[in-house]
Amino acid sequence: MPTLSQEPPEPSPVEPHRARRMAESFGVDAQRYDQARPGYPDALVARIVAGSPGPDVLDVGCGTGIAARQFQAAGCAVFGVEPDARMADFARALGLRVEVATFEAWQPAGRTFDAVVAAQSWHWVDPVAGAVKAARVLRPGGRLAIFGHVYEPPVEVADPFAA
């Protein structure tokens, strides 16, 4: 007699946070990940910093600290939350303060921040629980900044593909 699989159903494309195990596999080679992953425009970082009431930043899903390092370079005090211990260890080795947890399960212990940023990571966070947690840890006038990469190939590559 056939039995039903005990595995949860595959997440729909609109629910990537249910496929978090994929994100938690990125730390297999954290150094290579850090070298290959592009940074973010300095103007974007500057705009987020300028719009925040102060310099304290929480980086959700900080990975190896690519965005966190950019915010530090802009004068911010950055604290990271990262579910993959290997990625967190890499970020710590570069001087970042990081706790290992998913954002939803992370315990802020009364800490609050001027900005909560999620650089290419918010899609791994449960949208309802994540929004509630962000609202709880933001100081009055704080900023939630969710951003990522948009890959646009050069015209000489894009046009043939479009054709």
Side-chain angles (χ1 to χ4, degrees), residues 34-114:
D34 191 73
Q35 289 172 341
R37 187 72 135 190
Y40 301 92
D42 290 333
L44 172 67
V45 173
R47 186 172 180 185
I48 294 166
V49 171
S52 299
D56 295 329
V57 174
L58 174 65
D59 187 354
V60 175
C62 69
T64 59
I66 294 169
R69 295 190 305 265
Q70 290 184 258
F71 280 93
Q72 280 184 327
C76 295
V78 183
F79 183 85
V81 176
E82 169 57 42
D84 188 314
R86 299 161 299 185
M87 300 284 264
D89 286 344
F90 187 94
R92 283 190 203 109
L94 297 174
L96 297 169
R97 295 178 305 140
V98 182
E99 288 183 4
V100 177
T102 63
F103 184 53
E104 300 90 334
W106 174 68
Q107 297 300 313
R111 293 171 285 194
T112 58
F113 301 87
D114 298 306

